[in-house]
């Protein structure tokens, strides 16, 4: 693997861990209820010991649905189909991002472009990586903005979601 590929993977991992939002869904907008958020949080809590910490993206939502179906099928028992699970998890996640204090949210991006600039990459590779990082930051900010419409439903669960989805280094 080239140095650029390794750096991209490392920075993508850092962005995912820092911002929790690199996996963007293109799902239809719909209302999210307090009860749905409660079910999502309960399922994340119950399934984490068996399935591990959720690394949020569309494939992971599908994987959790499949893995749970092979266990006790708790997601389906809670009333979710594969599609409604993905929608509720997506909306909960976006709403969670919107509950994070702006200063804390923006701090997750601190130093990312500087790390690219300080790397051993050549100028062309650095420009490519800066563009990649800036695109991912913009995507994450957009997810957060889209989550504003879910804040009321998610806010009561924000602390628990932070434990389940938040940065481990806090």
């Amino acid at each position: 693997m080239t140095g650029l590929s390794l750096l991209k993977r490392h920075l993508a991992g850092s962005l995912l861990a820092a911002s929790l939002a690199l996996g963007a869904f293109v799902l239809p907008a719909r209302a999210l209820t307090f009860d749905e958020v409660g079910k999502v949080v309960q399922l994340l809590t119950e399934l984490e010991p068996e399935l591990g910490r959720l690394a949020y993206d569309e494939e992971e939502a599908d994987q959790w649905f499949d893995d749970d179906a092979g266990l006790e099928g708790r997601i389906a028992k809670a009333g979710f189909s594969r599609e409604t699970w993905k929608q509720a998890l997506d909306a909960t996640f976006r709403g969670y991002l919107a509950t994070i204090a702006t200063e804390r949210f923006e701090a997750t991006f601190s130093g990312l472009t500087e790390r690219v600039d300080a790397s051993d990459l050549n100028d062309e590779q650095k420009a490519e990586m800066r563009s990649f990082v800036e695109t991912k930051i913009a995507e994450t900010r957009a997810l957060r903005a889209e989550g504003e419409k879910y804040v009321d439903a998610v806010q009561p669960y924000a602390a628990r979601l932070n434990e389940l989805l938040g940065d481990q280094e806090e």
Side-chain angles (χ1 to χ4, degrees):
M1 199 175 286
T2 68
L4 182 58
S5 296
L6 287 173
L7 185 57
K8 268 188 179 179
R9 284 184 54 180
H10 178 72
L11 284 175
S14 295
L15 279 168
L16 179 61
S19 69
L20 310 173
L22 293 181
F25 287 129
V26 182
L27 294 177
R30 63 185 243 348
L32 178 69
T33 68
F34 178 79
D35 289 340
E36 285 175 313
V37 178
K39 287 179 184 179
V40 168
V41 171
Q42 183 64 36
L43 288 164
L44 291 175
T45 300
E46 290 176 12
L47 294 171
E48 184 180 44
E50 297 166 28
L51 302 181
R53 184 176 168 89
L54 181 72
Y56 180 76
D57 68 15
E58 186 170 356
E59 285 107 24
E60 189 74 5
D62 278 330
Q63 188 65 50
W64 270 52
F65 190 87
D66 290 340
D67 290 349
D68 176 56
L71 297 168
E72 295 180 37
R74 287 177 269 196
I75 295 171
K77 286 178 185 173
F80 293 110
S81 66
R82 176 183 303 275
E83 195 60 30
T84 60
W85 164 248
K86 287 169 41 175
Q87 290 173 349
L89 183 59
D90 176 68
T92 298
F93 182 75
R94 290 174 192 238
Y96 164 67
L97 288 177
T99 68
I100 300 170
T102 301
E103 302 78 28
R104 180 174 159 236
F105 181 82
E106 289 299 324
T108 64
F109 307 122
S110 177
L112 291 176
T113 54
E114 290 81 3
R115 286 173 47 194
V116 171
D117 291 338
S119 73
D120 292 334
L121 298 174
N122 65 39
D123 289 341
E124 183 179 323
Q125 292 170 325
K126 285 181 183 181
E128 182 181 339
M129 282 304 302
R130 264 193 306 286
S131 176
F132 174 79
V133 168
E134 290 166 1
T135 297
K136 294 302 178 188
I137 290 171
E139 288 173 4
T140 304
R141 286 178 176 144
L143 290 173
R144 175 181 162 85
E146 292 165 10
E148 286 295 327
K149 63 185 162 213
Y150 306 121
V151 167
D152 290 342
V154 174
Q155 188 65 53
Y157 297 101
R160 182 65 183 132
L161 284 165
N162 192 56
E163 293 171 10
L164 292 165
L165 301 172
D167 188 358
Q168 290 289 313
E169 296 184 49
E170 294 188 324

